[in-house]
Amino acid sequence: MARGLTHDRKQTMHRLISHLDALESESIHLLREVAAEFERPVLLFSGGKDSVVMLHIAKKAFWPARLPFPVMHIDTGHNFPEVIEFRDSSVERLDVNLVVASVQASIDTGRVVEETGPRASRNRLQTTTLLDAVEQHGFDAVMGGARRDEEKARAKERFFSFRDEFGQWDPKNQRPEIWSLYNGRHRKGEHIRVFPLSNWTELDIWQYIADEEIELPSIYYAHRRNVFRRDSMLMAVTEFLRPGEGEEVFEATVRYRTVGDATCTAAVASTAASIADVIAEVAASRVTERGATRADDKFSEAAMEDRKREGYF
């Protein structure tokens, strides 16, 4: 009888502790580890769904205290207005300190040169702006919302990713992470990138958003928008991006799976207007969000890895 009761109790506990609980617990552990190990950490926050989830978990990790670190947005200046409005309202509502590092400022000071041409984008210019902000503010740990299922280069990185004094990453020189022990040792001028959502998938993110009733920018759900087709992707007509010769503008029902620079982030045709609809759509998808909607990842097979080696997110 005792063995039967023990088995029933184990079965009940198994049902109560979902895989999302386990993922959240792991992320909370990593966020607290960062707060304990580093002097000046910062959390990247763009208003995109992954950074929204990461900030939500961070608030839970340190509640009822305020976050022990600021959040930072690397702002290309080519943003979807819905996302910037959401970013600012979230920062005010959650009472967190926001640092904005501007790509436009990097251009104005000659730190980077703006691209030209019909496929020009500021997305790749963010690396210099990010590294300059890390140096300016003395950040020794930078927490990002990257997930391993997004892109194969991201799958090579561990929870704690060492960056040298130039902000560069060497995928062949990564530190072991055994028994949830993380090595944050670094010298002055070096820093660590930390990815608390590494083990999450896009579907996990959406299921967690549903369970926690987390608010997101409206463009993540189906809406009508003027778009044109470029390189088999649906690009929105914005003040930063206009159709070229032979690219016809039409109105379509779309949503965004990922949010970034408006000049290189594509929408997908979708009628998913609710969280439940999005979850069903993501569960059926066989293409990663970046593979389907990020023009800047299509330059070469190693485009993301090359940028990460240089200091990209």
Side-chain angles (χ1 to χ4, degrees):
M1 180 66 70
R3 289 183 61 188
L5 288 173
T6 301
H7 176 73
D8 290 344
R9 188 176 295 112
K10 287 181 178 179
Q11 289 295 99
T12 300
M13 291 300 296
H14 178 74
R15 286 194 297 270
L16 289 175
I17 302 175
S18 73
H19 77 288
L20 294 178
D21 294 326
L23 288 170
E24 180 191 70
S25 178
E26 179 180 63
S27 298
I28 286 175
H29 171 68
L30 282 155
L31 288 162
R32 290 173 175 168
E33 188 74 13
V34 169
E37 281 197 44
F38 297 92
E39 293 183 4
R40 292 188 60 80
V42 66
L43 185 148
L44 296 176
F45 181 70
S46 64
K49 68 181 186 311
D50 299 312
S51 64
V52 170
V53 166
M54 190 165 60
L55 181 56
H56 177 85
I57 294 173
K59 292 294 289 186
K60 294 182 74 171
F62 300 103
W63 188 89
R66 296 180 74 243
L67 285 189
F69 41 73
V71 302
M72 178 167 67
H73 181 206
I74 308 302
D75 183 6
T76 66
H78 291 171
N79 302 290
F80 294 100
E82 304 97 320
V83 179
I84 292 300
E85 291 170 9
F86 182 86
R87 181 202 71 182
D88 293 341
S89 64
S90 296
V91 166
E92 182 178 357
R93 174 173 51 85
L94 298 174
D95 189 27
V96 296
N97 296 326
L98 172 66
V99 175
V100 177
S102 168
V103 172
Q104 182 63 58
S106 297
I107 295 170
D108 293 342
T109 57
R111 289 288 294 146
V112 295
V113 177
E114 186 152 25
E115 298 177 4
T116 58
R119 287 169 174 75
S121 170
R122 290 183 175 183
N123 198 53
R124 291 181 293 279
L125 305 183
Q126 293 180 91
T127 299
T128 297
T129 305
L130 169 63
L131 295 178
D132 286 350
V134 169
E135 181 179 4
Q136 176 187 347
H137 296 279
F139 295 133
D140 54 0
V142 180
M143 294 169 278
R147 307 185 322 270
R148 288 179 178 136
D149 72 322
E150 288 181 79
E151 204 276 343
K152 57 187 178 183
R154 296 207 189 279
K156 295 182 179 181
E157 220 157 4
R158 296 180 179 164
F159 287 113
F160 274 33
S161 177
F162 172 77
R163 303 299 172 105
D164 64 19
E165 64 270 26
F166 303 106
Q168 296 176 332
W169 168 64
D170 181 359
K172 296 180 180 179
N173 185 28
Q174 298 193 83
R175 297 169 177 175
E177 295 179 346
I178 305 172
W179 303 309
S180 297
L181 298 175
Y182 306 105
N183 184 355
R185 181 173 54 83
H186 63 282
R187 293 175 295 189
K188 186 175 178 59
E190 302 169 340
H191 71 278
I192 305 292
R193 302 283 173 87
V194 183
F195 304 105
L197 303 182
S198 283
N199 282 338
W200 296 60
T201 66
E202 184 185 7
L203 185 58
D204 293 329
I205 292 291
W206 278 103
Q207 290 174 333
Y208 186 78
I209 288 168
D211 282 1
E212 296 285 308
E213 300 180 345
I214 298 173
E215 185 181 354
L216 291 179
S218 59
I219 65 174
Y220 277 108
Y221 303 101
H223 58 285
R224 299 291 290 178
R225 187 180 287 264
N226 287 333
V227 298
F228 60 93
R229 197 171 296 279
R230 174 176 290 176
D231 300 329
S232 301
M233 297 183 295
L234 296 176
M235 307 302 296
V237 178
T238 68
E239 61 180 300
F240 318 113
L241 184 66
R242 300 293 181 183
E245 185 178 351
E247 295 175 332
E248 181 183 353
V249 176
F250 58 96
E251 190 177 69
T253 301
V254 300
R255 75 174 191 88
Y256 285 83
R257 289 179 67 182
T258 183
V259 170
D261 189 290
T263 62
C264 63
T265 304
V268 294
S270 172
T271 57
S274 68
I275 294 179
D277 293 340
V278 172
I279 289 173
E281 186 176 274
V282 170
S285 176
R286 293 297 177 267
V287 181
T288 66
E289 60 197 90
R290 291 192 70 96
T293 64
R294 295 301 284 269
D296 56 320
D297 287 342
K298 298 181 182 294
F299 283 91
S300 73
E301 284 291 320
M304 173 63 82
E305 183 165 335
D306 291 342
R307 280 180 285 152
K308 289 180 71 65
R309 286 174 183 269
E310 296 168 358
Y312 190 72
F313 304 107

